[in-house]
Amino acid sequence: MPLTYCPRSVIAAKARQSGLAAALILAVPAQAAAFADLDMLDRQVAAFTGAAVGQPGGALLPLDRRLRLQPCITGVALSWRSANRESVVIQCGDANGWRLFVPVRQSGTDAPAELAVRRGDAVAIAISGEGFTVSQPGEALQSGPVGAWVAVRPASAGRAAADTIQGQVVRPGLVAVPVP
């Protein structure tokens, strides 16, 4: 069949007659389905965490709507990234599937951090600088969770208040004092 010039108006009229317009209209939603449904993923995260987006225990923010993820044929799996439950992992089960990490809003004052060091505990005080670390036994003068700065006193200092130093709790029983 030879190619001939045909004005757009003629093509549009023929398309309406042949039902081609309906086929073109139906093709648009198929193109929209070319990407994963982000609203559905947000709902799955909310169901997994038990809290809505923005609520304590739920996703910090909805998924970024600029994401263009391939649809997941085999489905997605949700899990906690760590025991701290600070983020949810959404994993597409397809070969070469994608993976998303969704930060979770922490509950704030509802769940105080677990204390790693309590006042009066015997602790190791690790003093570290560039290329060295020295540790000695001491006593915690304040309670605190991992990451908190607490007052400690070396065991050799006796009870002198002037010998107290500030250190950061690394883990239960260990306080670090960095030297600049």
Side-chain angles (χ1 to χ4, degrees):
M1 177 175 192
L3 293 175
T4 59
Y5 173 74
C6 190
R8 286 186 184 184
S9 59
V10 173
I11 294 173
K14 288 187 180 215
R16 279 191 295 271
Q17 291 172 353
S18 66
L20 188 57
L24 290 174
I25 291 172
L26 292 176
V28 172
Q31 257 185 338
F35 301 112
D37 183 358
L38 299 178
D39 290 325
M40 181 208 44
L41 293 175
D42 280 335
R43 288 190 301 273
Q44 287 180 327
V45 169
F48 180 78
T49 61
V53 173
Q55 298 297 317
L60 189 61
L61 297 168
L63 293 173
D64 189 340
R65 295 306 186 239
R66 295 173 291 183
L67 288 173
R68 299 293 180 244
L69 305 171
Q70 67 186 20
C72 193
I73 306 301
T74 59
V76 296
L78 283 82
S79 61
W80 291 107
R81 182 171 186 204
S82 68
N84 294 342
R85 296 186 172 200
E86 293 175 347
S87 62
V88 174
V89 179
I90 307 173
Q91 175 89 36
C92 175
D94 295 349
N96 298 321
W98 43 263
R99 181 172 34 176
L100 297 175
F101 297 91
V102 180
V104 173
R105 180 176 297 281
Q106 296 303 302
S107 56
T109 58
D110 295 344
E114 185 176 329
L115 295 177
V117 171
R118 297 184 187 282
R119 182 178 179 184
D121 281 356
V123 295
I125 302 171
I127 301 170
S128 59
E130 190 172 324
F132 75 92
T133 300
V134 177
S135 67
Q136 66 181 34
E139 176 186 2
L141 301 177
Q142 295 174 319
S143 300
V146 171
W149 288 84
V150 296
V152 292
R153 177 177 38 227
S156 61
R159 295 276 178 205
D163 292 330
T164 63
I165 53 178
Q166 292 289 316
Q168 189 173 25
V169 178
V170 176
R171 60 176 169 75
L174 179 61
V175 177
V177 179
V179 176

